[in-house]
Amino acid sequence: MSGPTHPNRPGPPRQAVEPGPVLPRQGIIARYRDWLPVPPEAEPLTLGEGDTPLIRADRLLEELPRDRRPPAVFLKFEGANPTGSFKDRGMTMALTCARARGAQAVICASTGNTAAAAAAYAARAGMDCWLVLPAGGVAAGKVGQAVACGARILPVRGSFDDALAAVRQVVAERPELVLVNSLNPDRLEGQKTAAFEVVDQLAAIGLDERAAVFLPVGNGGNITAYHMGFRAYAAAGRLGRVPRLYGVQAEGAAPLVRGRPVDRPQTLASAIRIGRPVYGEKALAAVRDTGGRVLAVSDEEILAAQRLLARLEGVFAEPASAASVAGLLKLARGDEPGWEVPEGPVVCVLTGHGLKDVDTALRAARASGGEGGDLEALEALEARALDPEAVVQHLLATPAGGR
Ligand SMILES: *Cc1c(COP(=O)(O)O)cnc(C)c1O
């Protein structure tokens, strides 16, 4: 007997999932308002964030050693948010609450995605937006978004940590500027809704075993928010066992793995290039509380994971996001004693979209010889342009095959 199956459900179909009514993406505040500390009179300031896909990744799963595979791997693709990263979940909350309190201007330090989100939501609210960015440390796509939305940008010499210290000094003296870094508690409240979605989405496809969630960690705010979300659901009886949380840092910016701050954090994954994480203690507590771990991956491992994701699953995530997948691959290789593979389904959170940082992807492709990607053809497009007839002849003569 066979009925309609959900494309994301592993194994033989258990029970048909009926298609629900088509609802517009109404944003996380409308969807989870009962779980969020939003002032009752506040009108949500939303771009339709949240409701991001949980994508089953079977081809990626097959890359893991046969005897060290979890039952399933999923990608929570936060790049599908309106400005292309999970920061939108926090920003809809921060700006909704700020507007309800009569604020007129926001400010933040950022490695880029917070800036892009703040600029977009501030534009929608008609508020001024000040962004303090580490000079040379922000991907072009993110700066482009912020500039397009009319934010005012102050580049600072130094790292994200220096930028944040400067901003904290400013808001201490000018309280009318609302800080929208993850220090702002409304931000984490919004970000915890991603944990609700993971639970709801896994439950919808019949997976109620204990899951494991892999997240890239910079400031530690997001992993703290997931922990808050899972704990809130568990307290309300919506979840049996809180998923294990795995925090993945880049080797050159891994203060939580090393156990001390890093003065000059270095990694090509700019979104997690942070040496003094504001939520370091809370991130470690989240990992400890759930029986997960923190681990570090090299830039090479990050780029390899980014390529695998795109080539095997068609999902283009920015380098920092690929760190979550690199962490899973590393754990599955079992390089170090005591590295158990999680027993339940694994969710890798892809925090931001690959289009944010196309330069890094192109550089990586070039470094690997552009193999299979026809990068050279693209770059020499004009010089090597063919007549349409020659293109037809070439394609007719080229056999197709699986990859
Ligand atoms: C902000 C960000 C992170 C890190 O989140 P933290 O809350 O700082 O730990 C990871 N990936 C992307 C794409 C981000 O924008």
Side-chain angles (χ1 to χ4, degrees):
M1 198 191 89
S2 70
T5 61
H6 191 282
N8 265 344
R9 193 175 52 198
R14 286 179 226 175
Q15 192 190 356
V17 176
E18 294 299 327
V22 178
L23 294 173
R25 288 174 77 177
Q26 48 189 338
I28 57 141
I29 296 178
R31 185 152 175 213
Y32 292 112
R33 189 156 188 148
D34 291 348
W35 300 79
L36 297 170
V38 188
E41 71 290 353
E43 172 83 10
L45 183 79
T46 179
L47 286 164
E49 60 293 316
D51 221 344
T52 57
L54 188 73
I55 303 166
R56 191 151 182 231
D58 285 341
R59 272 158 62 83
L60 181 64
L61 180 68
E62 279 172 27
E63 286 296 307
L64 307 183
R66 193 170 285 282
D67 57 333
R68 293 182 60 86
R69 278 182 203 161
V73 174
F74 295 88
L75 310 169
K76 178 66 173 163
F77 189 38
E78 289 289 280
N81 275 297
T83 78
S85 86
F86 74 84
K87 300 295 198 302
D88 293 346
R89 295 180 186 271
M91 218 48 83
T92 182
M93 272 296 287
L95 273 282
T96 294
C97 296
R99 185 172 67 173
R101 295 178 197 121
Q104 305 205 326
V106 298
I107 185 169
C108 65
S110 174
T111 59
N113 281 331
T114 295
Y121 286 83
R124 198 161 168 75
M127 288 187 207
D128 284 341
C129 179
W130 293 94
L131 306 172
V132 181
L133 309 180
V138 178
K142 304 173 186 181
V143 181
Q145 288 180 288
V147 169
C149 292
R152 280 179 275 181
I153 295 177
L154 290 165
V156 69
R157 232 175 275 131
S159 67
F160 167 83
D161 306 286
D162 301 308
L164 182 59
V167 166
R168 289 176 89 158
Q169 214 174 315
V170 172
V171 295
E173 295 191 29
R174 293 193 58 186
E176 78 276 17
L177 295 177
V178 175
L179 177 71
V180 293
N181 276 104
S182 55
L183 280 165
N184 177 323
D186 299 325
R187 279 270 312 273
L188 295 204
E189 292 288 344
Q191 286 170 210
K192 80 183 180 192
T193 60
F196 297 164
E197 287 180 19
V198 166
V199 176
D200 293 343
Q201 287 171 314
L202 288 176
I205 54 174
L207 285 179
D208 48 15
E209 304 144 80
R210 185 182 201 186
V213 178
F214 283 68
L215 287 144
V217 171
N219 238 338
N222 205 36
I223 196 169
T224 302
Y226 271 73
H227 190 226
M228 285 163 52
F230 289 132
R231 276 271 159 236
Y233 252 28
R238 288 210 172 198
L239 171 64
R241 290 213 286 166
V242 171
R244 292 182 200 279
L245 290 170
Y246 291 80
V248 188
Q249 300 202 286
E251 274 176 4
L256 300 185
V257 179
R258 311 246 174 278
R260 59 189 139 75
V262 174
D263 276 336
R264 274 181 213 82
Q266 275 170 357
T267 167
L268 56 73
S270 53
I272 51 172
R273 192 186 292 146
I274 294 177
R276 296 177 181 276
V278 168
Y279 286 96
E281 283 309 314
K282 290 205 164 162
L284 288 174
V287 164
R288 228 177 283 127
D289 177 53
T290 59
R293 65 190 312 142
V294 287
L295 62 162
V297 292
S298 68
D299 279 4
E300 291 69 37
E301 289 171 319
I302 287 173
L303 288 180
Q306 185 189 31
R307 269 166 70 80
L308 262 188
L309 264 178
R311 297 177 69 121
L312 294 180
E313 302 292 353
V315 177
F316 187 28
E318 71 168 283
S321 305
S324 62
V325 172
L328 171 63
L329 290 167
K330 186 162 187 171
L331 200 80
R333 276 202 313 271
D335 289 348
E336 295 187 22
W339 282 27
E340 301 298 331
V341 181
E343 64 272 25
V346 167
V347 176
C348 292
V349 179
L350 303 181
T351 43
H353 205 293
L355 291 174
K356 295 272 191 173
D357 186 5
V358 173
D359 288 346
T360 301
L362 284 176
R363 258 200 311 276
R366 212 171 284 131
S368 72
E371 169 239 326
D374 279 26
L375 188 67
E376 249 174 66
L378 183 73
E379 299 202 326
L381 206 52
E382 292 203 11
R384 297 179 29 175
L386 300 171
D387 288 333
E389 179 59 21
V391 170
V392 170
Q393 291 311 322
H394 175 76
L395 290 175
L396 290 179
T398 308
R403 46 179 187 133

